[in-house]
Amino acid sequence: MKIIVDAFGGDNAPLEIIKGCAMAVEKFEDVDIILTGDEETIKKVAEENNISLNRMEIVHAPDVISMADHPTELMKSKKNSSLAVALRMLSEGKGDAMVGAGSTGAMLTGATLIVKRIKGIQRPALAPVMPNASGKFMLIDCGANAECRPDMLVQFAHMGSVYMKNVMGVENPRVGLANIGTEETKGDELRKETLQLLKKEPNLNFIGNIETRDVAFDGADVVVADGFTGNIILKTYEGVASMISKKFKDVFKKNIKNTLATALMLGDINDLKKSLDHNEYGGAPFLGVKKPVFKAHGSSKAITICNAIKLTRDFVASDVIGKIAADISGETAKQDK
Amino acid sequence: MKIIVDAFGGDNAPLEIIKGCAMAVEKFEDVDIILTGDEETIKKVAEENNISLNRMEIVHAPDVISMADHPTELMKSKKNSSLAVALRMLSEGKGDAMVGAGSTGAMLTGATLIVKRIKGIQRPALAPVMPNASGKFMLIDCGANAECRPDMLVQFAHMGSVYMKNVMGVENPRVGLANIGTEETKGDELRKETLQLLKKEPNLNFIGNIETRDVAFDGADVVVADGFTGNIILKTYEGVASMISKKFKDVFKKNIKNTLATALMLGDINDLKKSLDHNEYGGAPFLGVKKPVFKAHGSSKAITICNAIKLTRDFVASDVIGKIAADISGETAKQDK
């Protein structure tokens, strides 16, 4: 399996990206890497840091698309950027999947315009897998589509369900619609219409509305939202988790007494930290495009990239895209009746 | 000052409500209480628990409106409920403000239909004051209006700003619009239109869009949202805070070693817990109605009710409603030009 990696995406590129790829190659025998980016720099960084480029092919791409560039520059002035080259190669079948930690907007634009949508899919969605009280859940969409129609949310529900089952190993994933109350009459028109559509869907374990208070407590395996609401949930979630963790950390470091007390249970606190760390989950797939495209967190370290490659490998191996296509064409057939 | 309290609203009514009123009366010399509810029960509960009813008048109201009742029953079958009687008395000028811990929907309906809106206000909003990394902020609206127009959000911004300045003592409150990015082009149509209106508002310290990741880190003193988005933020915030705190608690109680280690810094952990406890903030005012109506948390204990009465006292004393009315009529005058 060949996974194309944008060596120049993310805050810690290219060093942590190259390191993460080397980790993945060592860990997964069936994975070869194609790195896109400035060839000379990649070779120099690898050499300086004693990183083996074994089973890694470098495809030269001199430009970098930055957060400051408009995403559509990917098709114009930045068509020789590491991201554009990676997505073009994926589209042309020169690799099985693509991983990047760069600008979400540019990756979404590129995935939609270069890799293109699965037939029948109205809009691709960005769908992070996040930690909760007892494991993990998928939030779909979390920002690709600020305004949505009910039928788009129904497709998100299907795509999320297929991914959680096949990549994350959740049997019969529970799908909930993020809303301001559990009753059927709650929410705005988008929620009310979507709820009625989701209730009628076959092949979906739809459990109804879910209040966002319950999202952190494992209320559903797939939380469905329009991109605006999903992004609000994602960022509130990250912000509050980070703030509360920081507050505890401040207590632990307040004085010598507290530092010593904390040292007595450091292993357990580190385990907790790890269980809540998004780096453990690697990032978010773009669901709805024709080939697997996986967004790693912008602040990705080597371990995050390695995890992202692992998830992308499972994404390819379990043929999630074929299954989404089959699911959606069934849905389309049903609607055509 | 006379504050009317619904003795039968909330999970811990009537005991904790009566206790909280007694605490408030003792603490604040200028506050007298009117308790609405079943007279015999109130007297019995007070006697059995040795609570003095000094400076508390009881107004008999035999019914209770429950979470299961439709809010509009307040005007029909439940017009003799403790809540309906409390709001009618407020409307008739028999008290200066009203505090309740019962159903939010019923309180909102009653506040709007019985107490009525301030002239010029399109919709009242429910606006909790919540803890953040370094203090507190107001989230307005958090669920009173699931669908909003831009001009309603502008009014929320003004009302929140007046409250935070006059009741919470924040000089020149920073007002942010909850959105999925800080750039002006971010968000849906509602956000884009609202941003342009807010930028033009005089008498408002508008700081632009705020990402919800920054809400927990004191990004603004007043966070403006439509009721749907606000409710999503509120419940995600509460859910994640509660989940992470529980995770730490589990570590602290995991075994004897950890329990002992925790004991060494228990004071600091309790201080942290207190700083994040919504009970410390007492609840949320309904802003936009003609008289102060204050919603205490449904799970309020005596201390929460006492805090709610304190905030309601400041709400009355600082003439927030007069100031909102003046602010809005200025705004209306400006729009009429």
Side-chain angles (χ1 to χ4, degrees), chain A residues 281-299:
Chain A
Y281 295 97
F286 279 107
L287 295 180
V289 289
K290 277 184 181 167
K291 301 274 176 81
V293 176
F294 196 92
K295 168 77 177 85
H297 212 281
S299 62

Side-chain angles (χ1 to χ4, degrees), chain B residues 19-257:
Chain B
K19 257 196 206 167
C21 290
M23 282 168 72
V25 160
E26 197 169 326
K27 221 165 171 174
F28 311 115
E29 282 181 8
D30 55 342
V31 170
D32 291 341
I33 301 286
I34 300 174
L35 276 172
T36 61
D38 184 79
E39 187 166 6
E40 203 176 322
T41 311
I42 294 174
K43 284 185 172 162
K44 200 173 138 227
V45 167
E47 199 185 317
E48 283 174 2
N49 294 278
N50 285 321
I51 305 167
S52 156
L53 292 176
N54 180 30
R55 277 164 44 214
M56 290 195 232
E57 179 190 340
I58 301 171
V59 172
H60 183 59
D63 292 340
V64 173
I65 188 156
S66 76
M67 302 306 260
D69 291 316
H70 193 276
T72 52
E73 290 305 315
L74 209 62
M75 315 301 287
K76 303 174 201 165
S77 69
K78 294 297 173 81
K79 65 183 174 190
N80 288 321
S81 63
S82 54
L83 176 59
V85 169
L87 289 169
R88 266 204 312 276
M89 289 185 69
L90 178 65
S91 163
E92 291 162 2
K94 291 172 185 161
D96 299 293
M98 190 259 153
V99 172
S103 149
T104 306
M107 278 187 71
L108 176 67
T109 303
T112 310
L113 297 181
I114 300 172
V115 185
K116 298 199 169 69
R117 286 169 296 162
I118 294 171
K119 188 163 180 268
I121 289 287
Q122 304 189 46
R123 297 282 192 89
L126 181 61
V129 175
M130 296 163 65
N132 63 21
S134 51
K136 57 197 172 305
F137 70 98
M138 168 170 275
L139 179 61
I140 182 166
D141 175 34
C142 90
N145 312 284
E147 314 225 25
C148 290
R149 293 185 312 275
D151 49 343
M152 289 162 62
L153 269 65
V154 171
Q155 291 194 336
F156 297 167
H158 279 278
M159 296 195 293
S161 188
V162 170
Y163 187 90
M164 288 306 278
K165 184 177 174 186
N166 293 284
V167 179
M168 304 307 289
V170 179
E171 264 313 305
N172 205 19
R174 296 159 301 152
V175 176
L177 177 64
N179 203 344
I180 59 175
T182 53
E183 303 89 339
E184 293 210 356
T185 54
K186 284 292 169 99
D188 53 9
E189 284 312 308
L190 175 59
R191 258 38 72 163
K192 288 178 201 165
E193 287 179 37
T194 305
L195 183 89
Q196 293 309 322
L197 292 180
L198 283 172
K199 278 171 65 182
K200 286 183 228 150
E201 283 299 299
N203 310 322
L204 206 62
N205 181 14
F206 181 58
I207 58 168
N209 288 325
I210 173 172
E211 285 200 279
T212 52
R213 193 180 278 129
D214 299 322
V215 167
F217 285 99
D218 195 29
D221 300 303
V222 178
V223 175
V224 175
D226 62 283
F228 182 88
T229 304
N231 195 273
I232 292 282
I233 295 172
L234 172 73
K235 288 177 181 160
T236 308
Y237 206 100
E238 289 185 349
V240 175
S242 164
M243 186 270 281
I244 308 262
S245 300
K246 193 190 165 300
K247 287 282 205 182
F248 275 101
K249 203 172 157 188
D250 289 347
V251 167
F252 298 156
K253 295 194 162 182
K254 194 184 165 195
N255 51 39
I256 292 177
K257 180 179 56 113

Side-chain angles (χ1 to χ4, degrees), chain A residues 131-300:
Chain A
N132 63 21
S134 53
K136 58 197 172 304
F137 69 98
M138 169 170 273
L139 179 61
I140 182 167
D141 172 36
C142 90
N145 313 283
E147 314 224 25
C148 290
R149 293 185 311 275
D151 49 341
M152 289 162 63
L153 269 65
V154 172
Q155 291 194 338
F156 297 166
H158 279 279
M159 296 196 293
S161 188
V162 169
Y163 187 90
M164 288 306 278
K165 184 178 175 184
N166 292 284
V167 179
M168 304 308 289
V170 178
E171 266 312 305
N172 204 19
R174 296 158 300 151
V175 176
L177 177 65
N179 203 344
I180 58 174
T182 53
E183 304 89 339
E184 293 209 355
T185 53
K186 285 291 169 106
D188 53 9
E189 284 310 309
L190 176 59
R191 259 36 72 162
K192 288 178 200 164
E193 286 179 38
T194 303
L195 183 89
Q196 293 309 322
L197 292 180
L198 283 171
K199 278 172 66 182
K200 286 183 226 149
E201 283 300 296
N203 309 322
L204 206 62
N205 180 15
F206 180 58
I207 59 168
N209 287 326
I210 174 173
E211 285 198 279
T212 52
R213 193 181 279 131
D214 299 323
V215 166
F217 286 98
D218 196 28
D221 300 304
V222 178
V223 174
V224 175
D226 63 281
F228 182 87
T229 304
N231 195 273
I232 292 281
I233 295 172
L234 172 73
K235 288 177 183 160
T236 308
Y237 207 99
E238 289 185 350
V240 175
S242 164
M243 186 269 282
I244 308 264
S245 300
K246 193 189 165 298
K247 287 282 204 180
F248 275 102
K249 204 171 156 188
D250 290 345
V251 168
F252 298 156
K253 296 194 164 182
K254 194 184 165 195
N255 51 38
I256 293 177
K257 180 178 58 111
N258 290 9
T259 309
L260 290 173
T262 305
L264 291 172
M265 48 184 170
L266 201 59
D268 293 325
I269 289 172
N270 283 338
D271 285 349
L272 169 58
K273 208 176 138 194
K274 202 175 161 184
S275 78
L276 296 173
D277 184 1
H278 56 73
N279 282 324
E280 291 297 312
Y281 295 97
F286 279 107
L287 295 180
V289 289
K290 277 184 181 167
K291 301 274 176 81
V293 176
F294 196 92
K295 168 77 177 85
H297 212 281
S299 62
S300 288

